[in-house]
Amino acid sequence: TALQGASALRQLQTRWGERIAILAGGGIRAANVTRIAQETGGREVHLGPRQPSSSEIDIAELEATIAAVRD
């Protein structure tokens, strides 16, 4: 998950963030998106929250995550 790889993402952000966009992805949710941004130093995330045991996007979670980013 992005949270588990936060240290590696921070290293990439520090080294390459001026040249390319580093997108944190995997396990991004409303409850952790702020922490992930703080720990990685990144400004962009990849969202696609899935419903448990499904390939469908959980629209409510997606909207909550976007709202958390805006706050």
Side-chain angles (χ1 to χ4, degrees), residues 25-61:
I28 307 283
R29 300 290 183 268
N32 65 13
V33 68
T34 300
R35 180 176 171 201
I36 290 168
Q38 290 170 344
E39 291 190 19
T40 64
R43 296 179 43 111
E44 300 184 38
V45 295
H46 179 271
L47 300 177
R50 305 274 180 222
Q51 293 183 3
S53 303
S54 174
S55 63
E56 293 184 32
I57 299 242
D58 183 338
I59 298 299
E61 179 62 30

